[in-house]
Amino acid sequence: MFALTIDQRGSRRGEDLVPRLLAALADVPAVLPFERTVGDEVQGLLDDADAVLAALLVVLRDGRWSVGLGIGSVEHPLPASAPAARGQALLDPRAAVERAKGAGEVRLAVASASDPVAARDVEALARLIGILVLRRTERQWAVVDAVDAAPTQRAAAEALGVTPQNVSQALAASAIAVERAGYPVLVRLLEEAT
């Protein structure tokens, strides 16, 4: 199982972003859905590596969160909510999120008491993907989103009011192809870690 503990950065100085994050994570398939635990913290329990990737991408793109991912066992039967769940998978992200707060640009950490080597591998690749996500400019995101929504790059260019060459250049500069090439590897590493 995978448990994510997500903590808002600088929450004492700014607005409460938890409702927006919960709305953004609502479509991520979870065994126990994401919910506020205490204060500005959110937790969810997942059993699917693709869902973990989807959740991480939401959190990383937002850029205002520290995230701890725990990989391990969970006691059954499961309770009605993630904060009430017990097991190593729920203990590991607590330590990981604290470590993530001091992790620099990509505030993400992974922990697994049962397989620390696998956790380090997952963390390394997730942080590399995170750097690409966080360094993408708003303009590059606009192009990536338009291309994802359009049937062709030419159609995306028309929707944006730019040339197809502009779209190609923005996609190359965004390194979206490099980032997405890492997704199946990260999913495989997550699956192997459970």
Side-chain angles (χ1 to χ4, degrees):
M1 289 282 227
F2 307 99
L4 282 164
T5 298
I6 306 163
D7 192 33
Q8 184 178 333
R9 293 167 51 185
S11 60
R12 292 186 182 138
R13 297 183 306 274
E15 68 176 300
D16 180 7
L17 302 174
V18 169
R20 250 187 290 179
L21 179 64
L22 291 174
L25 292 169
D27 292 333
V28 175
V31 175
L32 295 175
F34 289 94
E35 64 179 271
R36 184 190 297 262
T37 54
V38 291
D40 57 0
E41 187 179 274
V42 169
Q43 192 171 55
L45 187 66
L46 301 85
D47 65 355
D48 180 78
D50 287 306
V52 173
L53 172 62
L56 289 176
L57 291 173
V58 167
V59 175
L60 289 168
R61 182 169 176 176
D62 183 280
R64 295 175 286 187
W65 303 91
S66 297
V67 60
L69 169 62
I71 305 169
S73 61
V74 176
E75 291 180 12
H76 284 82
L78 291 174
S81 70
R86 297 176 53 149
Q88 193 63 46
L90 284 299
L91 295 174
D92 288 339
R94 287 261 170 245
V97 78
E98 290 306 315
R99 191 164 46 88
K101 291 176 183 179
E105 186 175 1
V106 181
R107 294 188 178 199
L108 179 147
V110 182
S112 173
S114 61
D115 195 344
V117 172
R120 281 194 300 270
D121 291 346
V122 168
E123 182 178 307
L125 183 53
R127 289 175 56 75
L128 285 170
I129 289 170
I131 286 173
L132 295 173
V133 170
L134 289 170
R135 291 188 179 172
R136 194 162 294 125
T137 66
E138 286 185 34
R139 178 70 181 141
Q140 290 167 349
W141 271 119
V143 171
V144 168
D145 291 341
V147 169
D148 286 347
T152 64
Q153 283 189 26
R154 181 173 295 284
E158 289 173 12
L160 292 168
V162 299
T163 68
Q165 293 80 5
N166 291 137
V167 168
S168 293
Q169 290 168 351
L171 288 175
S174 76
I176 191 69
V178 173
E179 175 190 319
R180 290 180 175 169
Y183 293 177
V185 181
L186 182 58
V187 166
R188 191 185 76 230
L189 290 173
L190 286 163
E191 290 169 345
E192 291 171 357
T194 56

